[in-house]
């Protein structure tokens, strides 16, 4: 990149500066004395416009977006009725498993008692 002089609106001059990078809020300059960041508000309007383009004049206030189409489980869970049914079914299955485990342990204890007598 070519070296050039940059002068801020307060009069500070950056001699033979090369632009290291352009950021959202300013430019980073490399000179013989080091690296400096100069914010756009510190630069004259012509330099600001050169490196920091203004936003488009007409920006719609709100863009209409196409709704996201859900698939699989996400689509099922988006429906409140399906969510309740899923929850109830899960609760019944877990309850059945717990019941089966408790019942088998109680039966095992009962058979051990009758064998030890």
């Amino acid at each position: 990149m070519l070296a050039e002089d940059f002068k801020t609106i307060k009069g500070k001059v950056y001699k033979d500066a090369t632009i290291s990078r352009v950021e959202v809020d300013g430019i980073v300059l490399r000179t013989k004395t080091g690296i400096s960041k100069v914010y756009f508000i510190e630069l004259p309007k012509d330099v600001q416009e050169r490196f920091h383009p203004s936003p488009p004049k007409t920006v719609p206030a709100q863009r209409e977006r196409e709704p996201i189409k859900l698939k699989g489980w996400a689509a099922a869970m988006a429906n409140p009725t399906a969510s309740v049914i899923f929850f109830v079914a899960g609760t019944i299955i877990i309850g059945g498993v717990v019941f089966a485990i408790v019942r088998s342990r109680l039966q095992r204890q009962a058979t051990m008692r009758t064998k030890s007598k």
Side-chain angles (χ1 to χ4, degrees), residues 21-76:
R21 67 181 176 272
V22 178
E23 295 182 348
V24 176
D25 56 350
I27 54 176
V28 179
L29 301 174
R30 185 179 300 237
T31 63
K32 291 178 185 174
T33 59
I35 298 172
S36 303
K37 180 169 184 176
V38 182
Y39 293 96
F40 287 121
I41 58 172
E42 300 174 21
L43 295 168
K45 289 289 181 199
D46 62 320
V47 178
Q48 287 182 26
E49 291 169 0
R50 194 167 119 202
F51 296 104
H52 189 252
S54 60
K57 301 287 184 218
T58 57
V59 177
Q62 200 175 29
R63 294 182 182 173
E64 287 189 39
R65 295 186 181 193
E66 186 177 321
I68 298 171
K69 294 181 181 167
L70 302 174
K71 298 177 184 173
W73 281 103

Side-chain angles (χ1 to χ4, degrees), residues 4-17 29-34 36 38 42-44:
E4 57 184 295
D5 295 344
F6 287 93
K7 185 175 183 180
T8 66
I9 55 175
K10 291 187 177 181
K12 182 166 173 77
V13 178
Y14 295 90
K15 287 267 189 203
D16 295 323
L29 301 174
R30 185 179 300 237
T31 63
K32 291 178 185 174
T33 59
S36 303
V38 182
E42 300 174 21
L43 295 168

